[in-house]
């Protein structure tokens, strides 16, 4: 993983940011912060086909074809030599198995990334690991809740990419805190390292993971079938 100048790279990747070399003070043009809602664009030199690949990996991070809380996340380094990018860590919603209500997929991924960055694979110090987030991209198959979006901002990710929107989840009966991620980004302009927010990437493939739970007529995701009103993994 490349570490030199990653903080400068993250700042320069976002329009409306003025970089000061003195004490790392930042002045952010709040009005220019906006969601990039055309997922087919090539942003920061990363093609749509590459974005699609990693969003599919976020779905696979679930480890099950149709879990009820199907929120999966991968964190990728797109600043290295690999055209595809390097997988750093993954995470999936782990609330029911642990009992911790904060263990959303993004929170698990951030924790796992910290362990990876400071572990044998990368061997970074805690300070280096914290700085490294500014060179990483977080992919999650559904828009983050305000807690997770805030954690993404505190981490300072270079990019945050999601599939299914909070609005779509609400329309399908999911209980949500109805604060979109872009609002969290706009209200966190005091924080350093503002990243780019890409919305709706591969939503046609992420939506089915979330639309069956409250709609008995909606098809189960691939590899699952309806059994007593719920989607269950098909037997091998």
């Amino acid at each position: 993983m490349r570490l030199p100048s990653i903080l400068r790279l993250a700042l320069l990747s976002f329009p409306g940011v003025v970089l000061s070399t003195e004490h790392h003070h930042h002045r952010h043009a709040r009005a220019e912060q906006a969601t990039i809602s055309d997922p087919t664009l090539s942003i920061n030199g990363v093609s749509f086909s590459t974005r699609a690949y990693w969003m599919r990996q976020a779905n696979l991070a679930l480890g099950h074809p149709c879990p009820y809380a199907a929120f999966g996340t991968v964190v990728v380094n797109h600043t290295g030599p690999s055209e595809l990018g390097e997988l750093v860590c993954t995470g999936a919603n782990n609330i029911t198995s642990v009992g911790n209500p904060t263990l959303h997929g993004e929170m698990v991924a951030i924790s796992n990334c910290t362990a990876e960055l400071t572990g044998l694979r990368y061997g970074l110090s805690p300070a280096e690991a914290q700085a490294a987030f500014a060179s990483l991209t977080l992919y999650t198959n559904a828009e983050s809740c305000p807690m997770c979006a805030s954690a993404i901002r505190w981490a300072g990710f270079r990019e945050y990419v999601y599939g299914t929107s909070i609005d779509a989840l609400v329309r399908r009966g999911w209980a949500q805190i109805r604060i979109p991620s872009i609002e969290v980004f706009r209200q966190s302009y005091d924080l350093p390292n503002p990243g780019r927010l890409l919305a709706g990437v591969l939503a046609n493939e992420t939506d089915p993971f979330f639309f069956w739970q409250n709609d008995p007529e909606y098809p189960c995701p691939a590899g699952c079938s309806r059994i007593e009103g719920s989607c269950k993994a098909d037997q091998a």
Side-chain angles (χ1 to χ4, degrees):
M1 176 179 295
R2 295 190 311 174
L3 286 177
S5 302
I6 55 177
L7 297 180
R8 179 177 293 272
L9 171 63
L11 287 168
L12 294 179
S13 71
F14 195 84
V17 176
V18 178
L19 175 64
S20 167
T21 57
E22 201 171 309
H23 302 298
H24 294 95
H25 291 312
H26 313 292
R27 187 169 69 252
H28 310 292
R30 181 179 176 188
E32 294 188 25
Q33 295 186 354
T35 303
I36 299 172
S37 57
D38 183 349
T40 64
L41 295 175
S42 179
I43 304 297
N44 288 337
V46 181
S47 67
F48 171 71
S49 62
T50 298
R51 303 287 186 195
Y53 171 83
W54 289 112
M55 189 58 72
R56 292 184 178 117
Q57 294 303 304
N59 288 334
L60 291 174
L62 298 170
H64 188 283
C66 50
Y68 186 88
F71 300 92
T73 299
V74 296
V75 174
V76 180
N77 178 22
H78 285 303
T79 68
S82 170
E83 183 176 347
L84 181 62
E86 175 192 5
L87 179 65
V88 178
C89 68
T90 68
N93 187 293
N94 204 19
I95 293 174
T96 56
S97 60
V98 176
N100 183 338
T102 69
L103 290 183
H104 293 192
E106 301 94 321
M107 305 295 278
V108 174
I110 291 171
S111 179
N112 289 343
C113 269
T114 299
E116 283 290 321
L117 292 170
T118 58
L120 294 177
R121 180 181 172 193
Y122 293 106
L124 302 183
S125 69
E128 290 171 334
Q130 187 172 355
F133 282 103
S135 68
L136 302 180
T137 298
L138 183 144
Y139 292 84
T140 183
N141 59 0
E143 182 175 3
S144 300
C145 72
M147 174 185 70
C148 294
S150 297
I152 290 168
R153 282 295 294 117
W154 280 113
F157 280 97
R158 181 174 186 245
E159 299 174 319
Y160 156 41
V161 187
Y162 68 80
T164 302
S165 68
I166 286 177
D167 284 345
L169 293 174
V170 169
R171 287 195 301 270
R172 289 290 177 166
W174 284 88
Q176 293 289 298
I177 298 175
R178 303 185 188 191
I179 300 174
S181 293
I182 188 57
E183 185 62 21
V184 174
F185 272 49
R186 286 171 177 159
Q187 296 297 335
S188 60
Y189 58 92
D190 287 331
L191 300 182
N193 308 332
R196 287 195 162 186
L197 197 167
L198 285 72
V201 173
L202 221 66
N204 61 308
E205 294 187 23
T206 60
D207 286 351
F209 284 91
F210 304 102
F211 285 8
W212 63 266
Q213 289 86 342
N214 300 307
D215 183 353
E217 302 301 320
Y218 196 87
C220 291
C224 299
S225 302
R226 288 272 178 189
I227 299 176
E228 297 179 353
S230 183
C231 291
K232 304 292 184 182
D234 296 331
Q235 298 295 320

